[in-house]
C-alpha cells in the first residue's frame, strides 16, 4: 500500500478505535439453527431473547412448507422489478390478502408489498409529499423524536422540512402544527406505533385527530404491532379502532409474520401514486415470489385460532416479564408489548450484563447509542410466543443473581 492509500485506511482505523473506546463495537453472532426460543448460536445452545419473531412463526413447519411450495411454483428469483416483469401472482395475491386483513381503517384500501420495511419507509416518506413544482421541498414533516432509523432516513431523503416533536407528545405536536398553519405544502405526521427500543405505544387516536384537524397525513409504522396488536393481530390501527383517509399504514413481515418483506396500506389513490413514483419500489428487483407465497400462509395463521392462542400465550409472558424486571435493581420501561427494555445506563455496564447473561446461556442484546439516547443503554428483552414460562424462570434467576451481585 502506498502512502496515499494508507491514509484512507488510517481514517477508518481511527474511526473503529473510537468505536471501541466508547464501548460501541457491535459484533454479529452467527445462528447455526433456525430462529427459535432455543437455538444454537456461535456453536453454543442458548435461549434467545433477541429476535422480533413475536409469534414464534419464523421456524413454523407450515411456513417452511409454503416457502418450498412457492419455490417449486414460482422458481428462485423474480427476474426483475415489479414494473418490468418481476411482479408475480404470489406478490399480487399477497397484496390483496394484506389489504383485506389490515386495510379496514380506510375505504378503498389497497396494499403495496416491499422487500423490506426499510424500503417501505423510504418509499412512503419520499413519495407521499412529493407533489407540485417543488418536488416535496415545501412539505413539512413532523416526526416523533424516537422514530425508527428508517423513518429518519426516509424523512431526510424526502428533502422535506423536518420538525421533530418530543416523544409521544401530542400536545407539542398540536402546537407545532398550529404555528405552521400558513407554511409549506403537504403536511405529514410520522410515528412508530410501538417504539422499537422502548416498547411503548404512540397516542394514535390523538395524532389522528390532529392530522384531520390540520389536513395532514398520518404515517404509522406498525413494524412491532402488526400480527400482535388488535383483533386477530390486524395491527395497531385496528386495536385503536381508527378509521380515516388520512392514514398511511406501514407493516413489516419479518417480525411477527416470521418471514420477510413489508407493505404499505392506504387509499388506492395513494398506492397508485406510489406505484408510479416511489423510487425504492420501482428501481429494485422484486423479492423472491416464494417469500410472498409464504407470507400469505403466515397471514392465515396470524388471523386464525392458532394466532389467537399464540397472542394469548405471549400476553402471559409479557405480564411475567414485567414482574421479573421490576424485581431487579435496574429500570424497566413501562411496556405492555413484547419489547421489554431494562435500562442500565452506561454502555460498559450494559455490555458487562449482556456478557454475564451470555455465560448463563441467554442471549439478550445490549442496545447502545446511536440506537438509543446516550446514557440510556439497555438490555432489550424481546419475547416470543415460542418462549415457555420455564425460559422466563431461567431469565429471572440469572437477572436476580446479577442484580444482587452488582
Ligand atoms: C424493523 C423495523 C423496520 C424495518 O423493517 P425491515 O423489514 O427489517 O427492513 C422499520 N420500522 C421499524 C419501527 C422497525 O422496527
Amino acid at each position: 500500500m502506498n502512502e496515499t492509500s494508507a491514509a484512507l485506511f488510517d481514517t477508518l482505523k481511527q474511526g473503529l478505535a473510537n468505536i471501541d473506546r466508547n464501548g460501541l463495537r457491535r459484533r454479529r453472532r452467527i445462528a447455526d439453527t433456525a430462529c427459535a426460543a432455543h437455538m444454537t448460536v456461535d456453536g453454543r445452545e442458548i435461549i434467545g431473547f433477541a429476535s422480533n419473531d413475536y409469534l414464534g412463526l419464523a421456524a413454523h413447519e407450515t411456513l417452511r412448507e409454503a416457502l418450498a411450495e412457492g419455490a417449486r411454483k414460482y422458481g428462485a428469483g423474480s427476474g426483475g422489478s415489479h414494473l418490468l416483469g418481476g411482479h408475480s401472482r404470489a406478490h399480487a395475491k399477497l397484496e390483496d390478502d394484506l389489504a383485506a386483513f389490515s386495510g379496514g381503517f380506510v375505504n378503498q384500501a389497497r396494499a403495496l408489498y416491499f422487500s423490506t420495511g426499510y424500503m417501505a419507509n423510504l418509499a412512503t416518506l419520499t413519495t407521499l409529499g412529493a407533489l407540485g413544482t417543488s418536488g416535496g421541498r415545501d412539505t413539512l414533516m413532523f416526526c416523533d423524536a424516537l422514530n425508527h432509523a428508517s423513518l429518519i432516513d426516509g424523512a431526510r431523503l424526502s428533502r422535506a422540512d423536518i420538525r421533530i416533536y418530543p416523544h409521544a407528545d401530542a400536545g407539542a405536536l398540536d402546537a407545532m402544527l398550529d404555528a405552521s398553519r400558513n407554511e409549506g405544502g403537504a403536511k405529514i405526521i410520522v410515528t412508530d406505533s410501538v417504539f422499537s427500543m422502548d416498547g411503548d405505544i404512540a397516542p394514535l387516536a390523538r395524532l389522528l385527530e390532529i392530522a384531520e384537524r390540520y389536513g395532514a397525513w398520518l404515517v404509522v409504522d406498525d413494524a412491532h404491532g402488526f400480527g400482535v396488536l388488535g383483533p386477530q393481530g390486524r395491527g395497531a390501527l385496528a386495536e385503536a379502532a381508527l378509521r380515516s383517509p388520512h392514514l398511511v399504514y406501514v407493516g413489516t413481515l419479518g417480525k411477527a409474520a416470521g418471514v420477510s418483506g413489508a407493505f404499505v396500506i392506504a387509499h388506492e389513490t395513494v398506492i397508485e401514486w406510489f406505484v408510479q413514483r416511489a423510487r425504492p419500489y420501482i428501481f429494485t428487483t422484486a423479492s423472491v415470489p416464494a417469500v410472498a407465497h409464504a407470507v400469505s400462509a403466515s397471514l392465515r395463521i396470524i388471523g386464525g385460532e392458532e394466532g389467537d392462542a399464540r397472542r394469548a400465550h405471549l400476553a402471559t409472558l409479557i405480564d411475567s416479564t414485567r414482574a421479573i424486571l421490576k424485581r431487579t435493581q435496574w429500570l424497566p420501561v413501562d411496556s405492555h408489548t413484547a419489547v421489554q427494555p431494562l435500562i442500565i445506563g452506561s454502555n460498559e455496564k450494559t455490555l458487562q450484563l449482556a456478557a454475564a447473561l451470555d455465560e448463563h446461556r441467554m442471549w439478550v442484546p445490549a442496545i447502545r447509542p446511536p440506537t438509543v439516547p446516550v446514557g440510556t443503554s439497555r438490555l432489550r428483552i424481546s419475547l416470543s410466543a415460542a418462549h415457555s414460562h420455564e425460559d422466563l424462570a431461567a431469565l429471572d434467576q440469572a437477572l436476580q443473581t446479577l442484580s444482587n451481585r452488582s
Side-chain angles (χ1 to χ4, degrees), residues 116-118 121 148 150 192 196 221 223-224 252 255 261:
T116 74
Y118 187 91
N121 280 336
H148 188 263
S150 57
D192 283 25
S196 50
D221 174 355
H224 299 275
T252 70
K255 289 172 177 152

Side-chain angles (χ1 to χ4, degrees), residues 308-384:
D308 283 339
R310 285 173 181 263
R311 281 183 291 276
H313 176 57
L314 181 62
T316 67
L317 296 169
I318 291 169
D319 284 346
S320 303
T321 304
R322 284 172 59 84
I324 290 168
L325 298 188
K326 274 191 195 131
R327 288 199 294 275
T328 70
Q329 58 157 302
W330 300 291
L331 186 67
V333 174
D334 185 23
S335 159
H336 290 271
T337 66
V339 177
Q340 291 287 324
L342 187 60
I343 297 185
I344 311 299
S346 79
N347 300 340
E348 212 177 13
K349 185 74 203 161
T350 310
L351 283 175
Q352 274 170 17
L353 283 171
L357 285 167
D358 182 65
E359 278 167 31
H360 285 85
R361 305 238 158 187
M362 261 163 260
W363 183 8
V364 180
I367 310 288
R368 291 156 283 163
T371 311
V372 293
V374 173
T376 70
S377 286
R378 62 198 68 184
L379 297 173
R380 179 177 184 270
I381 296 146
S382 137
L383 299 169
S384 160

Side-chain angles (χ1 to χ4, degrees), residues 144-145 147 165-174 189-195 200-211 218-220 236-237 240 242 247:
D144 187 287
N147 275 351
Y165 62 90
H167 175 53
D169 190 340
L173 173 66
D174 194 341
I189 302 166
V190 185
T191 187
D192 283 25
S193 57
V194 177
F195 286 85
D200 61 328
I201 300 180
L204 294 173
R206 288 199 64 198
L207 298 183
L208 179 58
E209 184 274 313
I210 291 169
L218 175 59
V219 174
V220 177
L237 298 181
L242 300 179
L247 287 164

Side-chain angles (χ1 to χ4, degrees), residues 10 92 95 139 223 248 257 264 310 332 348 374 379:
D10 282 346
E95 289 180 343
T139 295
V248 176
V264 180
R310 285 173 181 263
E348 212 177 13
V374 173
L379 297 173

